[in-house]
Amino acid sequence: EVQLVESGGGLVQPGGSLRLSCAASGFTFSSSDMTWVRENPGGDFEWVSIINSRGDSMSYTDSVKGRFTISRDNARNTLSLQMNRLKTEDTARYYCTTGGYGGRPFNTPRSQGTQVIVSS
């Protein structure tokens, strides 16, 4: 059974930083492309960043380019998202999920996610 557990969210002031983590189990993490998504106010998931299984190809949605960095540790089955220079519009619940690389759809998150609130 695929299990993904996100952590690292919280309340931060605009311009601050957070590092999100995702602990994966129940599947072959090192063979899985991974995506960070966030839930918008309308309840839809939008992709934030994608990384391939080897960790040598990454993509970012335009609004986070230059501010967020995705990474993975296949030895530890861990996915990370370093978020710098946070903006109020980054406020959302963030989820990690499988898939999404190469134009393929990401799988709908089933995990709890982690809440990020950017506010002064």
Side-chain angles (χ1 to χ4, degrees), residues 53-80:
S53 59
R54 294 186 304 274
D56 58 6
S57 180
M58 291 79 81
S59 299
Y60 300 91
T61 195
D62 286 346
S63 63
V64 309
K65 281 180 182 176
R67 302 188 296 120
F68 291 11
T69 303
I70 191 171
S71 61
R72 65 190 297 159
D73 185 340
N74 284 346
R76 299 186 177 186
N77 288 359
T78 301
L79 179 73
S80 298

Side-chain angles (χ1 to χ4, degrees), residues 28-97:
T28 308
F29 180 76
S30 60
S31 298
S32 296
D33 305 322
M34 298 294 296
T35 300
W36 281 101
V37 304
R38 60 191 179 190
E39 189 173 9
N40 63 29
D44 297 320
F45 294 109
E46 55 185 26
W47 74 276
V48 175
S49 184
I50 303 168
I51 189 167
N52 69 346
S53 59
R54 294 186 304 274
D56 58 6
S57 180
M58 291 79 81
S59 299
Y60 300 91
T61 195
D62 286 346
S63 63
V64 309
K65 281 180 182 176
R67 302 188 296 120
F68 291 11
T69 303
I70 191 171
S71 61
R72 65 190 297 159
D73 185 340
N74 284 346
R76 299 186 177 186
N77 288 359
T78 301
L79 179 73
S80 298
L81 186 69
Q82 178 67 43
M83 306 189 296
N84 298 328
R85 304 201 309 275
L86 282 159
K87 303 177 180 180
T88 55
E89 51 263 43
D90 295 318
T91 295
R93 181 166 289 272
Y94 287 71
Y95 303 81
C96 59
T97 188

